[in-house]
Amino acid sequence: MTSLAVEDTEAGGAELPLSEQAYRQLRDQLIMLEIRPGEAINDSVLAARLGFGRTPVREALKRLESDHLVVSYPRRGTFATRVDITELADISEIRELLEPLAARRAARSANPEMRATLRSLAADISGSDPRGADQHTLMRFDIMVHRQIYAAAANPHLEDVLIRYDNLATRIWCLVLDKIPSVAGHITEHVDLLHAIADGDAERAAGLAFEHVTSFEKTIRSVL
């Protein structure tokens, strides 16, 4: 099986500030539920584990609170937010509007280098057998593909909003991941979407993005 490589699509080749590095590492651990919902978060322990000072970790936690991934209580401390399945409909409603917008914009606005990257991602998926991959690895790959599409849309405000809601949707997915036989089909859905964007077919890309989001919601509801 050809492996699906997961890369940091946000790095941009530049050296990131320590607070940004801490933020991204903690964000992705919270998204994948490696830091469990409701778990107490100690900034000193995190700083030691991640190899950062306490100041970058504290700055990261402030951002993560605005992302609704952690919550702080006076005199109690900071905790990973719980995953609320009842938010699925609200999150999906927003993504059903904005994911097609991002796909449409990406099809119209992506530069040649980005189109080549999207074609390469499609080829990686087509040349692999996701059915044999670890479920969590597939979810990380799913996150990476979505972030590439958001970046290709060339609207940083839209990208920021979509990353936030895709993160929340992924937490819901990870909560029920052991109940889903396989997410391989969800991954292979990206192939036609990536090709549509790379080919500049804006309306087809928008339609496929909408179908992808609704498929996600149906899959979750089928195991609730």
Side-chain angles (χ1 to χ4, degrees):
M1 182 190 85
T2 302
S3 63
L4 297 173
V6 180
E7 300 176 356
D8 183 356
T9 62
E10 301 168 282
E15 183 68 25
L16 297 172
L18 292 179
S19 60
E20 182 68 21
Q21 294 181 43
Y23 168 75
R24 294 186 184 189
Q25 288 191 40
L26 290 172
R27 179 194 62 186
D28 289 348
Q29 288 177 26
L30 287 158
I31 294 167
M32 298 301 298
L33 307 188
E34 292 166 2
I35 299 176
R36 301 298 302 172
E39 182 178 330
I41 295 175
N42 183 299
D43 57 5
S44 297
V45 173
L46 279 179
R49 179 162 61 82
L50 297 175
F52 297 116
R54 291 180 67 183
T55 297
V57 170
R58 286 176 175 174
E59 291 175 359
L61 289 173
K62 288 179 182 178
R63 289 179 62 188
L64 291 164
E65 188 164 14
S66 68
D67 290 342
H68 304 290
L69 294 173
V70 304
V71 59
S72 296
Y73 300 102
R75 296 180 298 278
R76 287 184 56 199
T78 301
F79 300 82
T81 55
R82 297 193 179 278
V83 181
D84 188 352
I85 293 291
T86 64
E87 293 181 347
L88 176 61
D90 291 339
I91 292 170
S92 295
E93 182 179 32
I94 294 169
R95 294 183 70 222
E96 285 168 7
L97 292 171
L98 296 186
E99 293 276 357
L101 173 61
R104 186 182 291 110
R105 278 189 58 90
R108 293 172 176 168
S109 305
N111 60 37
E113 180 181 0
M114 181 60 76
R115 292 182 195 276
T117 297
L118 298 178
R119 290 187 195 281
S120 178
L121 279 174
D124 285 346
I125 299 169
S126 297
S128 69
D129 182 6
R131 293 171 299 178
D134 173 74
Q135 295 272 73
H136 286 86
T137 299
L138 292 178
M139 289 311 304
R140 290 187 179 90
F141 188 79
D142 178 80
I143 293 169
M144 187 265 289
V145 172
H146 278 268
R147 290 179 186 170
Q148 285 283 11
I149 294 172
Y150 305 155
N155 182 328
H157 300 289
L158 177 63
E159 180 180 7
D160 182 63
V161 170
L162 274 170
I163 286 176
R164 177 175 298 185
Y165 283 100
D166 185 56
N167 290 345
L168 296 176
T170 300
R171 291 189 91 214
I172 294 175
W173 192 291
C174 287
L175 189 68
V176 299
L177 199 57
D178 60 341
K179 299 179 182 179
I180 298 171
S182 174
V183 296
H186 184 74
I187 299 300
T188 56
E189 286 177 7
H190 289 115
V191 174
D192 287 343
L193 173 58
L194 291 166
H195 278 303
I197 295 172
D199 293 343
D201 191 340
E203 294 313 310
R204 176 167 166 74
L208 289 170
F210 179 82
E211 291 175 9
H212 186 66
V213 174
T214 56
S215 171
F216 158 80
E217 184 175 9
K218 288 176 184 177
T219 300
I220 297 298
R221 292 196 181 282
S222 72
V223 297
L224 294 181

